[in-house]
């Protein structure tokens, strides 16, 4: 059963540190999404890529967040410097074009 | 601006009862409406979906009702079970574009 794989599953770090989250999309999927989930805001779309090109990153704080797809099997989301308000669960999802998304199990990030 | 409005925020139902979650939208460009189910510590998983040319879709105990004129759609869970306790998200897609998610409904089914 194909799955989206996210690493790490949990990350605790101090504010000011760089955080890198990784995502391996399902093989054959050409669209990758990054979401942030909090109790207050629910699921927020941060950015998404199609065929490795960024299509929309308007939901992402540009001064500290960056998202890339170095190749078709890896997507990364970086936060530098991290702040306590970045604490959330970050989900990666992938799809084939506009088909329904398949989500990973998330990275639970805590910034102290 | 929330593109898809979901209610209620939380729902408690007795085992065997019917759970109903509602969503509303404004953008008539939406062409596909999925529901996702999320268990604690897991990512959302596609549960059932409907297109606007259909008024109802049923899969097992799960049914989507779609009212195009009212721009509303709802998820009905028949014979609700404790194992259905999860957070449910509705979503809507604009073809060629992204999905927009509702804010989620936390469902608790008590034995």
């Amino acid at each position: 059963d194909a799955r989206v794989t996210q690493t790490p599953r949990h990350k605790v770090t101090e504010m000011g540190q760089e955080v890198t989250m990784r995502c391996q999309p399902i093989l054959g999927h050409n669209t990758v999404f990054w979401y942030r989930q909090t109790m207050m805001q629910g699921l927020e779309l941060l950015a998404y890529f199609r065929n490795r090109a960024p299509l929309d990153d308007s939901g992402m704080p540009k001064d500290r967040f960056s998202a890339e797809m170095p190749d078709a099997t890896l997507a990364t989301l970086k936060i530098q410097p991290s702040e306590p308000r970045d604490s959330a669960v970050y989900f990666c999802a992938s799809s084939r074009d506009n088909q329904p998304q398949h989500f990973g199990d998330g990275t639970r990030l805590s910034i102290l | 601006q929330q593109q898809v409005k979901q209610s209620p925020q939380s729902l408690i139902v007795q085992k065997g009862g019917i759970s109903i979650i509602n969503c509303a939208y404004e953008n008539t460009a939406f062409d596909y409406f999925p529901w996702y189910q999320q268990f604690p510590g897991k990512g959302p998983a596609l549960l059932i979906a409907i297109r606007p040319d259909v008024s109802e879709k049923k899969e097992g105990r799960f049914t989507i009702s779609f009212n195009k004129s009212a721009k509303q759609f709802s998820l009905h869970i028949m014979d609700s079970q404790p194992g259905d306790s999860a957070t449910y998200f509705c979503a809507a897609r604009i073809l060629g574009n992204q999905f927009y998610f509702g804010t989620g409904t936390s469902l608790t089914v008590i034995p």
Side-chain angles (χ1 to χ4, degrees):
Chain A
D1 192 22
R3 299 170 63 87
V4 174
T5 303
Q6 289 187 249
T7 57
R9 290 297 316 279
H10 304 272
K11 176 74 173 179
V12 181
T13 191
E14 294 185 345
M15 65 178 292
Q17 296 298 305
E18 178 178 296
V19 174
T20 298
M21 291 169 273
R22 293 178 173 80
C23 169
Q24 181 177 357
I26 292 173
L27 188 65
H29 283 190
N30 64 344
T31 308
V32 175
F33 303 81
W34 283 105
Y35 291 90
R36 176 170 61 188
Q37 186 175 41
T38 61
M39 289 296 292
M40 293 300 294
Q41 300 294 330
L43 266 173
E44 300 175 272
L45 178 67
L46 297 175
Y48 78 103
F49 294 76
R50 179 156 295 148
N51 299 321
R52 296 177 56 201
L55 285 192
D56 186 350
D57 62 1
S58 59
M60 205 163 63
K62 301 290 192 307
D63 56 337
R64 300 183 299 108
F65 284 60
S66 62
E68 295 179 346
M69 280 201 74
D71 61 61
T73 64
L74 177 65
T76 62
L77 179 66
K78 290 186 182 180
I79 308 175
Q80 169 64 22
S82 57
E83 297 180 2
R85 60 180 166 149
D86 300 329
S87 298
V89 182
Y90 290 81
F91 287 103
C92 174
S94 72
S95 71
R96 180 69 192 169
D97 295 322
N98 292 112
Q99 297 305 306
Q101 301 159 28
H102 296 255
F103 283 79
D105 285 336
T107 293
R108 184 173 294 276
L109 178 64
S110 296
I111 308 297
L112 307 177
Chain B
Q1 181 186 357
Q2 193 70 29
Q3 293 265 6
V4 180
K5 293 184 170 66
Q6 183 172 348
S7 63
Q9 188 174 2
S10 62
L11 182 61
I12 299 175
V13 173
Q14 289 271 1
K15 179 182 174 182
I18 303 173
S19 303
I20 302 175
I21 304 170
N22 301 298
C23 285
Y25 65 97
E26 286 298 325
N27 193 336
T28 55
F30 289 138
D31 73 332
Y32 183 73
F33 301 86
W35 284 89
Y36 284 81
Q37 179 188 55
Q38 184 181 24
F39 293 107
K42 297 291 187 181
L46 180 65
L47 183 63
I48 186 172
I50 197 168
R51 297 187 189 279
D53 54 347
V54 176
S55 61
E56 184 176 281
K57 183 172 182 181
K58 184 176 181 180
E59 289 184 2
R61 296 184 295 108
F62 299 91
T63 300
I64 301 178
S65 296
F66 189 86
N67 186 330
K68 190 173 181 178
S69 61
K71 298 181 198 170
Q72 295 175 347
F73 58 110
S74 59
L75 176 69
H76 297 238
I77 306 174
M78 312 300 287
D79 187 25
S80 299
Q81 299 296 313
D84 297 331
S85 297
T87 300
Y88 293 81
F89 294 92
C90 62
R93 180 192 75 182
I94 296 176
L95 184 62
N97 210 314
Q98 60 176 286
F99 284 76
Y100 296 86
F101 285 83
T103 50
T105 296
S106 176
L107 171 65
T108 302
V109 181
I110 51 178

